[in-house]
């Protein structure tokens, strides 16, 4: 589960402790901060079959993977989800479902519980239907609330996730109050990271530092009020922290993502970096990919770190930050993450922060995650 500090380091002893299976990029929503690739529609015909996913599960378990997240897109779009959950459970995985809640009716929820599903993470974007529906591009709010009610009614441990941005950060207190009333155990306010669709919409999505600090105060007040009844995480955007987060506890350290087409990656965003050699589980054993492939060895450990990271006393806390963010903001994945105030390229982050508070700036409509949206966005720009 995500922590709000960047200083926690987990030693996986060379094992991919956390496995993320992106079963599909298909999704009924059109969120403008989605972390799926900009060309997500190109993957629909390339998805792994049920038996191929089972092979991934076997090989991952042999590597030592323990925690498993079924995600997407929307994993409920896969009719074999229950079969995959049951197979993962039989192998000893602790199974999590990360779902929008759209399509999670009672019958399917019972089937997933019978298959061995252990935990569910549900995102809710706002406490009002008009705001949620506008943000996700679909009439989804009521269905999300019902999904949350059903999840708790059937006894699942539940993580409620509120992706935080300018449009909803003022609802922090309302969200905690609603979650407390439902008896939710974990509530995560995740200020979004700016990759893919979120990066395209960054100027419109990023809250101001003042808004972030006000929301922090609200969270602390509710922590004091609720005590141990609910664990509340508040993940501060690294654009405002001055230090990068320990992205995935280091490249190729404890996290393994498998994309819908079988490509194995150190994180969900790695494909944004050009020039890397991506290997598919269809072509290579997963053990070789994890231990030996050039991709996973590229930025693993600390020896590759540039200056000032290489001589920094905090390098074992943040591992130089995020490689994807370094590429997207500086053009070179080997650079120091510019979110760090010690980076020689930190100004690019400062410029982004300044842009969201610039008076009388022109506001743009959000680019929605949808097939063909990219070409339209480029034409408009």
């Amino acid at each position: 589960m995500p922590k709000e500090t960047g200083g926690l380091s987990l030693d996986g002893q060379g094992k991919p402790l956390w496995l993320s299976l992106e079963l599909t990029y298909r999704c009924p929503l059109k969120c403008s901060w989605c972390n799926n690739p900009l060309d997500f529609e190109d993957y629909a015909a390339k998805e792994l079959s049920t038996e191929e996913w089972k092979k991934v599960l076997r090989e991952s378990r042999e590597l030592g993977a323990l925690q498993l997240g079924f995600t997407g897109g929307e994993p409920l779009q896969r009719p074999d989800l229950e079969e995959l959950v049951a197979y993962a459970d039989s192998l000893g995985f602790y199974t999590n479902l990360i779902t929008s809640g759209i399509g999670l009716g009672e019958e399917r929820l019972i089937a997933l519980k019978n298959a061995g599903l252990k935990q569910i993470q549900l995102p809710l974007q706002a406490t009002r239907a008009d705001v949620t529906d506008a943000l996700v591009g679909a009439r989804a709010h009521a269905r999300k609330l019902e999904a949350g009610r059903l999840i708790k009614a059937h006894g699942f441990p539940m993580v409620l996730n509120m992706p935080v941005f300018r449009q909803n950060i003022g609802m922090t207190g309302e969200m905690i109050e609603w979650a407390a009333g439902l008896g939710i155990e974990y509530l995560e306010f995740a200020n979004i990271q700016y990759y893919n669709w979120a990066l395209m919409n960054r100027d419109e999505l990023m809250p101001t530092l003042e808004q972030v600090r006000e929301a922090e105060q609200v969270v602390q007040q509710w922590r004091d009020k609720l005590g141990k009844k609910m664990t509340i995480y508040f993940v501060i955007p690294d654009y405002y922290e001055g230090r990068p987060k320990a992205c995935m506890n280091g490249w190729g350290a404890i996290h393994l993502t498998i994309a819908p087409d079988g490509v194995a990656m150190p994180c969900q965003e790695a494909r944004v970096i050009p020039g890397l050699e991506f290997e598919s589980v269809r072509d290579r054993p997963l053990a070789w990919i994890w231990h030996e492939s050039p991709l996973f060895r590229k930025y693993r450990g600390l020896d590759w770190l540039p200056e000032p990271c290489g001589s920094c006393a905090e390098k074992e806390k943040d591992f130089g930050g995020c490689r994807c963010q370094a590429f997207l903001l500086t053009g070179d994945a080997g650079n120091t993450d510019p979110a760090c105030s010690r980076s020689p390229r930190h100004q690019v982050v400062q410029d982004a922060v300044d842009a969201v508070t610039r008076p009388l700036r022109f506001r743009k409509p959000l680019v929605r995650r949808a097939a063909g949206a990219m070409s339209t966005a480029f034409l408009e720009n």
Side-chain angles (χ1 to χ4, degrees):
M1 213 163 296
K3 298 294 187 291
E4 55 186 347
T5 60
L8 178 64
S9 179
L10 299 177
D11 184 1
Q13 298 181 330
K15 301 175 183 178
L17 300 182
W18 177 263
L19 176 65
S20 178
L21 301 189
E22 297 181 311
L23 298 182
T24 180
Y25 288 145
R26 288 174 285 143
C27 183
L29 305 183
K30 300 177 180 178
C31 303
S32 298
W33 58 93
C34 182
N35 62 9
N36 286 171
L38 298 177
D39 60 347
F40 69 90
E41 67 267 28
D42 295 343
Y43 293 84
K46 305 173 185 176
E47 293 179 10
L48 296 183
S49 67
T50 304
E51 293 307 313
E52 286 175 320
W53 278 121
K54 287 182 176 180
K55 179 174 179 285
V56 168
L57 288 166
R58 287 194 301 272
E59 293 186 3
S60 302
R61 193 69 185 89
E62 290 169 1
L63 277 171
L66 300 171
Q67 294 267 354
L68 167 61
F70 290 104
T71 183
E74 173 49 68
L76 291 169
Q77 297 268 322
R78 290 278 304 212
D80 58 354
L81 177 60
E82 290 85 348
E83 184 177 350
L84 293 174
V85 169
Y87 191 72
D89 183 64
S90 74
L91 294 174
F93 278 105
Y94 185 87
T95 51
N96 300 262
L97 176 64
I98 303 166
T99 174
S100 68
I102 307 304
L104 190 63
E106 188 161 27
E107 182 177 344
R108 192 147 200 208
L109 190 63
I110 292 171
L112 286 165
K113 187 167 188 177
N114 290 339
L117 185 65
K118 297 298 189 292
Q119 181 173 288
I120 298 177
Q121 178 173 317
L122 177 75
L124 183 61
Q125 289 74 25
T127 51
R128 299 202 321 261
D130 60 329
V131 178
T132 299
D133 294 351
L135 286 169
V136 303
R139 299 190 65 177
H141 186 78
R143 297 161 77 179
K144 285 174 171 286
L145 295 186
E146 176 63 7
R149 186 191 68 78
L150 287 172
I151 291 166
K152 293 309 303 171
H154 286 275
F156 280 99
M158 177 177 167
V159 179
L160 182 68
N161 173 277
M162 177 175 162
V164 178
F165 27 78
R166 175 193 299 268
Q167 289 82 352
N168 66 0
I169 195 168
M171 299 180 182
T172 301
E174 297 173 25
M175 186 65 74
I176 298 173
E177 185 174 14
W178 180 82
L182 197 61
I184 291 169
E185 296 89 349
Y186 302 97
L187 174 56
E188 177 191 4
F189 291 97
N191 280 273
I192 59 173
Q193 296 291 93
Y194 296 98
Y195 309 106
N196 294 336
W197 296 91
L199 183 59
M200 289 187 63
N201 293 292
R202 184 181 62 190
D203 288 354
E204 306 308 315
L205 292 173
M206 187 187 296
T208 65
L209 179 58
E210 181 182 10
Q211 288 176 310
V212 171
R213 295 307 182 206
E214 288 176 357
E216 261 192 309
Q217 291 177 6
V218 171
V219 167
Q220 189 56 53
Q221 291 166 4
W222 275 97
R223 283 173 174 161
D224 295 340
K225 180 179 180 179
L226 296 174
K228 296 182 178 180
K229 293 180 181 179
M230 183 193 298
T231 300
I232 307 175
Y233 301 104
F234 188 81
V235 183
I236 300 172
D238 54 7
Y239 277 51
Y240 291 126
E241 285 195 295
R243 290 291 180 273
K245 289 182 170 56
C247 187
M248 302 299 177
N249 277 268
W251 180 280
I254 66 167
H255 187 96
L256 174 61
T257 291
I258 310 296
D261 61 346
V263 165
M265 301 178 289
C267 72
Q268 292 174 303
E269 314 299 337
R271 266 180 164 154
V272 303
I273 303 175
L276 298 179
E277 301 175 46
F278 293 96
E279 301 281 358
S280 171
V281 296
R282 284 173 166 148
D283 305 317
R284 295 275 198 172
L286 193 54
W288 181 89
I289 295 175
W290 174 259
H291 290 297
E292 304 297 335
S293 70
L295 173 68
F296 278 83
R297 294 165 67 94
K298 178 74 172 178
Y299 300 113
R300 181 177 272 157
L302 301 173
D303 292 343
W304 67 272
L305 288 172
E307 291 298 335
C309 301
S311 56
C312 180
E314 298 182 25
K315 65 183 178 183
E316 294 186 10
K317 295 181 180 180
D318 59 37
F319 312 104
C322 176
R323 298 303 91 220
C324 302
Q325 184 159 267
F327 167 73
L328 290 169
L329 298 186
T330 75
D332 186 344
N335 285 335
T336 299
D337 187 337
C340 182
S341 61
R342 298 172 183 171
S343 166
R345 298 168 180 83
H346 183 60
Q347 188 60 45
V348 71
V349 168
Q350 286 301 113
D351 290 343
V353 169
D354 293 343
V356 303
T357 56
R358 189 178 300 132
L360 302 177
R361 71 183 182 87
F362 175 70
R363 302 200 65 86
K364 299 178 292 185
L366 293 172
V367 178
R368 295 190 183 279
R369 175 202 187 272
M374 280 299 300
S375 59
T376 302
F378 283 129
L379 285 173
E380 290 177 348
N381 290 333

